[in-house]
Amino acid sequence: MSYAIGALLAPSSSPTFLPLMNSTASVELEHGVKPIEDGYKWRLVLAYEGTRYSGWQYQQSPPTVQCTLEKALTQATKLQRKDLSLVGASRTDAGVHAWGQVAHFFTPFNYDNIEEIHAALNGLLPSDIRVREISPASAEFHARFSVKSKIYHYKIYNDSIMDPFQRHFAYHSIYKLNSAVMKEAAKYFVGKHDFSAFANSSHNDRVPDPVKHIFRFDLKERGALLQLEVEGTGFLYRQVRNMVALLLQIGREAIPPDIVAHILESRDRKELAKYSLSAPPHGLCLVSINYNESHLWPPPGCPANSFGRYHTIRKCKIPFFL
């Protein structure tokens, strides 16, 4: 069974300092005993507007989401970056947004309550990055390697005049798109395929497996706004934007829907380049990530999840002049 996450993490009052769990310590969980080597693990669910960030991956200049989040975490926890070991589930590209990015980090101490650190993090972060949820994480959980599937949405505003309120979150297509042929073409992506033809080269040292399983690729229409929704086990570098770009060309009726099958079979990025380039990043959003449900079980003796808290207004006395 899998479970979708679209938010997580916060600390409250003063932390409770417990013995640091090392390789000789273990936590007994309902589903077995798992050694914990790095202390206490915490899961975050994040939302951010990617407009002014150079993606997720850490680098100091230009700013990235990971770098900005780590600065807030070091202030809130008083720990060094190397001790936090922050890991994100998805390395979103420059200009790409997220509603359900997931990350985890470590502390050598436990928290009695995580609402206060949750509030502190959002107070330290810029307004275009929010921690939606914080929760304790089990030793089995890993933000990246426990992933079962990811869901991305790509928004297209299909009208002669762009809606100014959508300009940072939707690609403007001035060509009238045929949504029926786009839906037909999207079906070719569904299933298990080698997506080498839809991957840009990456500076990452790891060589990713080009075979991915796409569970669904839907197109939703809301007036002038078209929303492409894709769910898969994982995606290669720029894969989603490259698939969207080809669907845009098909929607313009420049090429037929069955061209998708031909390009997939070629396994050659140069073949895709004959028909389309990558779609712009600002229309793309990481919406949610699905995990194995057993990896989301909380460890024993942990504080409750934090989803943020409302402020309250204290009742005041009636002014004397009334």
Side-chain angles (χ1 to χ4, degrees):
M1 233 181 132
S2 61
Y3 185 79
I5 287 185
L8 284 158
L9 203 70
S12 71
S13 58
S14 58
T16 300
F17 289 82
L18 299 177
L20 177 62
M21 296 181 181
N22 52 38
S23 57
T24 62
S26 63
V27 172
E28 188 171 351
L29 304 175
E30 294 179 31
H31 50 295
V33 175
K34 176 77 175 180
I36 296 181
E37 301 178 359
D38 300 292
Y40 296 87
K41 188 184 289 186
W42 309 94
R43 183 170 56 243
L44 299 166
V45 176
L46 305 158
Y48 48 84
E49 180 190 341
T51 304
R52 70 186 188 96
Y53 296 99
S54 187
W56 163 266
Q57 192 72 0
Y58 181 87
Q59 64 181 48
Q60 292 188 340
S61 182
T64 65
V65 177
Q66 183 179 0
C67 179
T68 306
L69 178 59
E70 284 184 349
K71 286 179 181 178
L73 280 168
T74 55
Q75 288 181 265
T77 63
K78 310 302 181 188
L79 297 172
Q80 298 298 313
R81 175 176 181 257
K82 63 181 178 62
D83 300 318
L84 292 166
S85 299
L86 179 69
V87 174
S90 185
R91 298 174 180 176
T92 54
D93 209 0
V96 174
H97 314 295
W99 173 249
Q101 171 73 287
V102 178
H104 74 252
F105 69 95
F106 293 91
T107 60
F109 47 76
N110 196 7
Y111 284 100
D112 289 329
N113 183 312
I114 50 179
E115 281 190 346
E116 287 185 8
I117 188 175
H118 193 172
L121 285 174
N122 281 333
L124 291 164
L125 287 165
S127 59
D128 52 6
I129 302 176
R130 291 293 89 177
V131 176
R132 294 175 51 208
E133 191 179 337
I134 293 181
S135 64
S138 68
E140 284 84 355
F141 176 81
H142 192 282
R144 187 182 308 154
F145 300 131
S146 297
V147 171
K148 294 202 74 175
S149 70
K150 298 177 183 179
I151 299 174
Y152 281 91
H153 289 181
Y154 194 97
K155 292 183 178 180
I156 303 160
Y157 196 79
N158 192 201
D159 195 73
S160 58
I161 299 173
M162 181 60 178
D163 179 348
F165 295 102
Q166 296 284 346
R167 71 189 188 281
H168 292 309
F169 308 102
Y171 167 69
H172 182 207
S173 174
I174 57 175
Y175 296 93
K176 185 64 177 175
L177 299 174
N178 183 335
S179 60
V181 295
M182 291 175 73
K183 290 177 182 178
E184 181 185 345
K187 292 177 182 177
Y188 287 97
F189 289 116
V190 177
K192 199 170 186 179
H193 304 287
D194 184 324
F195 284 94
S196 297
F198 289 86
N200 284 22
S201 59
S202 170
H203 299 295
N204 193 341
D205 293 331
R206 295 183 300 118
V207 179
D209 182 0
V211 177
K212 305 295 179 185
H213 192 161
I214 303 298
F215 301 118
R216 65 183 182 93
F217 204 151
D218 304 321
L219 190 154
K220 306 280 181 69
E221 299 179 66
R222 298 179 179 89
L225 193 65
L226 306 181
Q227 183 166 281
L228 288 162
E229 302 179 0
V230 59
E231 178 179 3
T233 52
F235 299 94
L236 302 171
Y237 182 54
R238 298 266 177 98
Q239 180 186 333
V240 176
R241 288 165 56 192
N242 286 332
M243 292 190 299
V244 168
L246 186 64
L247 290 179
L248 284 167
Q249 286 291 79
I250 292 167
R252 293 166 185 157
E253 300 183 340
I255 47 179
D258 59 5
I259 197 70
V260 176
H262 166 72
I263 295 172
L264 279 170
E265 289 171 7
S266 75
R267 302 180 184 179
D268 185 356
R269 180 65 181 84
K270 293 178 182 178
E271 191 64 26
L272 176 65
K274 296 176 183 178
Y275 305 99
S276 64
L277 301 174
S278 291
H282 66 280
L284 187 61
C285 181
L286 172 61
V287 173
S288 66
I289 299 174
N290 294 295
Y291 289 96
N292 186 313
E293 190 174 7
S294 65
H295 288 193
L296 299 178
W297 291 347
C302 63
N305 295 6
S306 173
F307 300 92
R309 60 187 178 189
Y310 288 100
H311 292 268
T312 57
I313 299 175
R314 296 176 182 173
K315 292 182 180 179
C316 56
K317 296 179 180 179
I318 298 175
F320 69 90
F321 52 80
L322 291 181

